[in-house]
Amino acid sequence: MHRSPRVLVFATPHDVARTLARRVAAALHANPKIVLGLPTGRTPLLFYEELVRLHADEDVDFSQATTFNLDEFVGIAADHPGSYRTFMRRFLFEHVNIDPARTHFLDGAAADLTEECERYEASITAAGGIDLQILGIGTNGHLGFNEPGPELEARTHKVTLRPETRRSNAALFGGDPAAVPSQALSMGMGTILHARKAVLLATGESKAGCVERVVMGPITTALPASLLQLHRDAELMLDEAAAIRLPG
Ligand code: GLP
């Protein structure tokens, strides 16, 4: 029986990053106009580092690619040091030949946030949808900023961040969880599940409990990442530490 998501386990986080970066390079080669959905967080850093290396050493070409980031904090300017736009510039976009006009972000400082969410959904549709959505996972099982709860929203929307999520994003705000905005905008679970392919990266033992539930547990809004079981082409790329609770 086809199991979703498929699970790939690598020895180290570097191996995860190298393999995914190679795959993205191959996908860019096959389709230079690929539309990528991109995450932030500590987990994708090695992957971005590897993409930068492939661009420098092997001329991997990003010039026609389009990107949509998953989420953004509310109430901070795009160029704030803690914004996800700043994060993406710093770790990827400034180091590859991507056209800034093709890199899309939610604007958490927009005057009308509902309109902003609608604009984002419309630009994803206008770009032809997301070909490859890369994801991280929060320690509480969130995807993007879709937090666990009694219900989930399908489309891009405003969310109130849980205390554990603000704590895990504190490094972007001088280490102070109280300085992390309490609200954010995020693609919805429907936006994420409509991507043609989804790859979730998880490394380290702190993710092992969630990973076990994503793979073995029921589909539940209490663990948004469990909805990946509904996707036809979803994959988990794990290091051994994150896979430690999966049956061998
Ligand atoms: C943030 C992002 C998520 C990301 C999560 C995990 O909350 N909004 O998209 O998956 O962090 O972060 P890390 O990779 O640092 O564990």
Side-chain angles (χ1 to χ4, degrees):
M1 188 186 79
H2 169 70
R3 242 203 115 95
S4 184
R6 286 187 303 279
V7 178
L8 296 178
V9 183
F10 300 83
T12 69
H14 275 102
D15 296 325
V16 174
R18 271 193 290 268
T19 307
L20 181 59
R22 281 264 165 233
R23 280 210 208 164
V24 169
L28 270 164
H29 190 70
N31 174 16
K33 291 181 187 266
I34 195 167
V35 180
L36 297 171
L38 296 177
T40 52
R42 283 167 291 271
T43 313
L45 285 175
L46 288 172
F47 160 63
Y48 292 146
E49 213 174 88
E50 199 56 31
L51 281 182
V52 171
R53 196 192 62 74
L54 287 175
H55 171 68
D57 296 353
E58 298 180 25
D59 285 335
V60 170
D61 180 16
F62 291 82
S63 61
Q64 296 180 68
T66 295
T67 65
F68 287 91
N69 261 78
L70 273 165
D71 45 14
E72 183 58 282
F73 296 107
V74 162
I76 59 171
D79 61 355
H80 185 284
S83 79
Y84 283 168
R85 186 191 288 258
T86 301
F87 175 103
M88 291 307 299
R89 279 202 192 123
R90 177 168 167 213
F91 293 110
L92 182 63
F93 296 155
E94 275 177 1
H95 312 287
V96 297
N97 66 332
I98 198 152
D99 175 357
R102 293 185 209 260
T103 64
H104 299 271
F105 292 90
L106 281 153
D107 177 6
D112 184 332
L113 294 174
T114 307
E115 224 170 68
E116 174 59 9
C117 293
E118 283 164 10
R119 178 198 67 80
Y120 207 59
E121 286 286 333
S123 19
I124 294 172
T125 305
I130 293 171
D131 295 308
L132 170 60
Q133 175 67 61
I134 298 163
L135 299 157
I137 182 169
T139 42
N140 64 10
H142 72 219
L143 287 188
F145 272 136
N146 293 279
E147 296 278 44
E151 51 192 33
L152 291 168
E153 291 211 29
R155 294 294 159 195
T156 300
H157 60 291
K158 186 172 80 174
V159 292
T160 297
L161 300 178
R162 307 241 311 207
E164 65 269 27
T165 300
R166 293 176 75 196
R167 273 198 300 278
S168 67
N169 279 275
L172 295 171
F173 294 85
D176 177 11
V180 179
S182 57
Q183 292 186 314
L185 303 180
S186 177
M187 285 185 194
M189 287 307 306
T191 326
I192 292 170
L193 293 174
H194 272 82
R196 285 182 265 282
K197 185 176 178 70
V199 173
L200 185 147
L201 298 176
T203 54
E205 208 169 337
S206 68
K207 302 290 169 72
C210 273
V211 164
E212 179 188 23
R213 291 169 64 207
V214 169
V215 177
M216 316 290 294
I219 295 167
T220 166
T221 61
L223 189 82
S226 66
L227 272 76
L228 286 176
Q229 292 178 29
L230 296 169
H231 197 285
R232 280 174 174 276
D233 191 358
E235 212 162 56
L236 256 56
M237 293 180 71
L238 312 172
D239 70 345
E240 279 174 3
I244 202 149
R245 290 166 75 159
L246 297 180

